[in-house]
Amino acid sequence: MENQTTILHRILDNIEQVIVGKRESVEMVLMALLCDSHVLIEDIPGVGKTSLARALAKSIDCSFHRIQFTPDILPSDITGFSIYNQQSGQFEYRDGAVMSNIVLADEINRTSPKTQSSLLEVMAERQVTVDGTTRELPQPFMVIATQNPIEYLGTFPLPEAQLDRFFIRIKLGYPSLVQECEMLANFYEKNPLDDLTPVVTAEQLIKIQEEVKQVHINDNMIGYIVHLVSQTRRQEDVLLGASPRSSIALMRASQAWAYYNNRDYVIPDDVQKMAPYVLCHRIRLKQEAKSRKISVEMILQELIKKTAVPRS
């Protein structure tokens, strides 16, 4: 496990040549990668959402496609389409942008719900169906989506079914003054993204993903996760609680965090660390709660405090 965790730290160090002072956010993206899952990066424009996604993609020796989501983009641009070949007299499939290992869905909430929905099958089942024919996506496969806050002009809120398919959601926020000075120094002569090279192969990554699944999680810890997630559905201020898919995601995320910390078993601290990143975007509050300035993060932190921790 030591050799594999060394590889993980190489990925982090590589990304931090571009993204300064956001270690925890970068770690969370890496956790999603270890779990063969997807990431939603939500924040205001200009704080490095796209740069983080591109830096991760360039750190991995895998294929990469970027989709700039706009109001006029069509589902076929994403999933691919069939075109008639006059010479052969048959329809031929043309790959869409999702036929890649790493897909950057840039500003995903600037396109219509119809186009957003074209990613539902892709993200959940790792396959794409065009004209009745289903095609498997390459492995590993990961969607990294960026979005601006829904209050910004020209945005379409992601539906709950779409949000639930994102493994984690992170926010970057503004850098400190020192971090911003360091960032300017890094970008003074050229963009450090241009010099990034892969530090892990697809085969190494798949091996690590399989090892993460072998991290032990006992029945008490499984019960702890299920109880914590189910409590989100029983809160007075919650309109929509976390789904059963959330329980699976939290279990996988806890295994990944344990693996990253050189442990082959999950402890309550792993669950508590990953819960806000895994659950918050999957919970919707009632309007009355929002009017009282109650946030999902506040409710979840209170649940973590109240939920009994397993003794062993």
Side-chain angles (χ1 to χ4, degrees):
M1 186 177 288
E2 288 185 357
N3 291 335
Q4 303 300 348
T5 51
T6 299
I7 293 174
L8 301 183
H9 284 284
R10 284 212 307 269
I11 297 174
L12 289 172
D13 293 340
N14 211 44
I15 295 173
E16 286 189 322
Q17 295 181 53
V18 179
I19 305 299
V20 177
K22 302 297 178 183
R23 182 79 174 189
E24 185 166 334
S25 296
V26 177
E27 287 175 336
M28 291 302 114
V29 175
L30 184 58
M31 294 305 104
L33 180 64
L34 297 187
C35 296
D36 193 23
S37 296
H38 315 294
V39 178
L40 178 63
I41 308 176
E42 180 184 82
D43 218 319
I44 59 175
V47 294
K49 302 187 299 294
T50 303
S51 295
L52 173 54
R54 292 183 64 88
L56 175 66
K58 295 194 72 170
S59 299
I60 304 168
D61 191 15
C62 296
S63 58
F64 170 71
H65 273 151
R66 175 180 180 270
I67 311 169
Q68 180 62 57
F69 280 81
T70 55
D72 60 345
I73 195 170
L74 299 174
S76 58
D77 297 324
I78 299 170
T79 61
F81 57 91
S82 296
I83 187 171
Y84 184 72
N85 186 324
Q86 291 184 341
Q87 293 181 343
S88 65
Q90 296 180 337
F91 283 92
E92 296 179 353
Y93 174 70
R94 295 289 185 267
D95 286 350
V98 294
M99 283 296 177
S100 184
N101 295 114
I102 307 295
V103 177
L104 170 57
D106 210 1
E107 295 189 300
I108 188 173
N109 61 334
R110 287 200 179 278
T111 194
S112 67
K114 177 181 178 180
T115 303
Q116 291 174 7
S117 66
S118 64
L119 286 172
L120 292 176
E121 179 188 15
V122 170
M123 295 173 67
E125 302 176 38
R126 304 299 196 277
Q127 65 183 30
V128 60
T129 302
V130 177
D131 294 334
T133 301
T134 299
R135 295 172 174 84
E136 298 293 327
L137 296 174
Q139 296 299 320
F141 176 73
M142 182 183 195
V143 173
I144 306 174
T146 70
Q147 76 165 355
N148 297 319
I150 60 174
E151 295 82 6
Y152 278 63
L153 295 175
T155 60
F156 299 85
L158 293 178
E160 289 81 0
Q162 186 90 53
L163 287 171
D164 201 35
R165 282 164 170 79
F166 284 104
F167 186 72
I168 62 171
R169 181 189 65 179
I170 64 169
K171 298 182 181 182
L172 296 178
Y174 288 118
S176 67
L177 295 179
V178 173
Q179 292 167 352
E180 196 160 357
C181 287
E182 184 179 348
M183 181 188 70
L184 264 60
N186 290 347
F187 280 80
Y188 178 66
E189 294 184 348
K190 58 182 177 180
N191 190 334
L193 262 173
D194 298 336
D195 295 330
L196 285 190
T197 56
V199 295
V200 62
T201 65
E203 292 74 21
Q204 288 175 310
L205 183 56
I206 291 173
K207 181 181 178 181
I208 293 174
Q209 290 174 339
E210 290 301 318
E211 290 182 354
V212 168
K213 295 177 183 177
Q214 303 306 314
V215 173
H216 180 67
I217 179 165
N218 63 32
D219 291 342
N220 286 339
M221 291 306 307
I222 289 177
Y224 179 53
I225 290 172
V226 171
H227 185 62
L228 180 60
V229 172
S230 65
Q231 285 300 309
T232 66
R233 307 164 195 159
R234 300 184 175 94
Q235 302 305 302
E236 181 181 351
D237 293 317
V238 172
L239 178 65
L240 179 67
S243 68
R245 184 188 280 130
S246 307
S247 300
I248 298 173
L250 185 53
M251 178 183 69
R252 293 294 182 211
S254 302
Q255 288 176 299
W257 189 251
Y259 182 92
Y260 175 67
N261 286 279
N262 286 306
R263 274 183 283 103
D264 59 1
Y265 57 92
V266 172
I267 61 176
D269 287 351
D270 301 323
V271 178
Q272 294 172 4
K273 174 70 176 181
M274 299 305 300
Y277 295 101
V278 173
L279 300 180
C280 281
H281 64 287
R282 292 175 156 103
I283 301 171
R284 171 169 287 192
L285 295 181
K286 294 178 181 178
Q287 191 59 45
E288 309 90 84
K290 295 178 183 179
S291 64
R292 302 200 313 271
K293 307 299 182 183
I294 294 176
S295 67
V296 173
E297 289 79 6
M298 293 166 57
I299 291 177
L300 189 57
Q301 289 300 327
E302 189 65 26
L303 285 179
I304 290 174
K305 291 179 182 178
K306 291 181 177 179
T307 303
V309 177
R311 293 182 178 272
S312 61

